[in-house]
Amino acid sequence: MARARSLSEFQTSFPDETSCAAFLFERRWPEGFVCPACGGARAALLKRRAHTHECLDCGRQTSITAGTAMHRSKLPLTVWFWAAHLMATHSNGMSAVQLEARLGITYKTAWLLAQKLRRSMIDPQREPLEGVVEVDQGEIPFRADNSFFDPVKSGKILIAGAVEVIDRGTNQAKPRRKRAKYLDTRSGRIRLAAIPDNSAASIEAFVRANVKTGTTLLTDGHRSYPGLTDYRHDPRTVGKMAGHIVLPWIHRVFALMKRWGLGTYHGLRRKHIDTYLNEFVFRYNRRFYRHVSFETMLGLASHHHPTSYWDIVGRDNPRKGVPTVRRQPRRRRTATGMRADGSRPEKFEPRPVLDLTRQP
């Protein structure tokens, strides 16, 4: 169901809220409901709370969207599913303005929706690059304000990038080599990150965070790389030669990233720059099978906590830490009736059945 290649197939698979909720339930509990608090398997679906199951053993109420990108969202599931499908399958991604027009929602809602989906793209436990890796730095223009974007007069953001060099015949990051040249290669997985400067500390931090120890680094001979003693260093002095001839794959990644930033977003900004770079990395690494990345977009395959609006904008929640004064305990509707918060559900014992067939 989640691997629909065309828009019509996706629309047929998820036509309403019920089909979306059934898909989430199956992905979260493939062998049946399991309570995250007590491990119980008996649950009741609440009618007054959308997509929420209540454990009949401990009374814990669990939503099928809890822990995903849709955590505590008031938007319909169909809007989330459509947005994830559009952002996952579109070759250049979708801006908030495009989502606003496609989904019929406000710009603020589309912006927050896109930001949450972008933050669920990258798994913090992803495997580092290995084998033979090209590493280099590049600059991309950024927007300083909301005025007309002019790349000539804009500022520059320094980006560090790494890409695996893959052998076309074996599809492994161990390409064949003839003297100083690698034969019949293509680009594999990539990593991108914004760095503050060209210092050795910034470049070494990027390499150690994204490249496996013992990997062969193809570089332009920058002075920062010899300090990485636990890596194999294969410097390629550029000199007067064009950089894309010496390091072809990383420069192709930089060129595609610049065109993507200018074409889709009309210039990136310094704020949230790493989030947009992770989006480009996610889409590039899945360029041959975009239709299977739909579940990752919704946060179903990630291992990090969902991001709230206040985490995205970088401000403290003004309501956090302020105690709510209540005259009496809050009561909520449950599967067995109204119950005060903090109280355990009553265990109903079956009544004895009278045997009317016995004679006195």
Side-chain angles (χ1 to χ4, degrees), residues 21-141:
F23 174 82
L24 292 177
F25 185 90
E26 181 183 358
R27 287 299 184 271
R28 181 159 188 175
W29 300 298
E31 298 180 357
F33 176 82
V34 178
C35 178
C38 68
R42 300 188 308 130
L45 179 63
L46 301 182
K47 296 182 179 179
R48 298 300 182 96
R49 300 189 66 184
H51 319 304
T52 302
H53 294 76
E54 179 179 341
C55 178
L56 297 180
D57 295 330
C58 67
R60 167 73 176 268
Q61 295 182 357
T62 306
S63 172
I64 58 176
T65 60
T68 67
M70 301 165 283
H71 187 73
R72 292 186 176 180
S73 174
K74 300 296 190 297
L75 287 175
L77 295 181
T78 51
V79 175
W80 281 98
F81 275 53
W82 275 89
H85 177 75
L86 291 174
M87 293 187 66
T89 57
H90 200 277
S91 59
N92 294 325
M94 300 288 291
S95 64
V97 176
Q98 291 173 307
L99 286 179
E100 175 190 8
R102 295 287 184 89
L103 302 177
I105 55 181
T106 63
Y107 174 78
K108 291 184 178 180
T109 303
W111 180 87
L112 183 60
L113 177 64
Q115 289 290 342
K116 287 188 175 183
L117 289 176
R118 291 188 187 101
R119 281 165 171 78
S120 64
M121 291 179 178
I122 300 301
D123 188 352
Q125 301 179 6
R126 59 185 178 180
E127 296 293 330
L129 306 183
E130 59 183 354
V132 178
V133 177
E134 291 186 8
V135 184
D136 200 4
Q137 304 86 250
E139 292 182 344
I140 60 174

Side-chain angles (χ1 to χ4, degrees), residues 161-236:
V163 55
E164 287 180 336
V165 181
I166 304 296
D167 187 278
R168 289 184 180 272
T170 61
N171 286 329
Q172 300 293 327
K174 297 180 180 179
R176 294 170 296 165
R177 181 171 180 174
K178 184 177 181 180
R179 297 185 180 88
K181 185 178 181 180
Y182 289 94
L183 306 175
D184 196 19
T185 61
R186 65 171 180 86
S187 61
R189 297 179 299 160
I190 67 171
R191 296 288 187 271
L192 295 172
I195 55 178
D197 47 43
N198 252 331
S199 63
S202 300
I203 296 178
E204 288 185 10
F206 168 78
V207 173
R208 295 188 183 280
N210 296 280
V211 184
K212 187 177 181 179
T213 304
T215 300
T216 300
L217 302 180
L218 300 179
T219 69
D220 58 357
H222 196 276
R223 296 181 180 179
S224 302
Y225 297 107
L228 299 168
T229 56
D230 45 354
Y231 293 85
R232 301 187 185 94
H233 189 204
D234 188 1
R236 306 296 176 90

Side-chain angles (χ1 to χ4, degrees), residues 309-329:
Y309 167 79
W310 301 106
D311 296 330
I312 294 175
V313 299
R315 298 203 306 264
D316 294 331
N317 188 346
R319 294 176 295 179
K320 187 176 182 180
V322 179
T324 303
V325 180
R326 299 183 183 275
R327 295 182 179 180
Q328 56 183 354

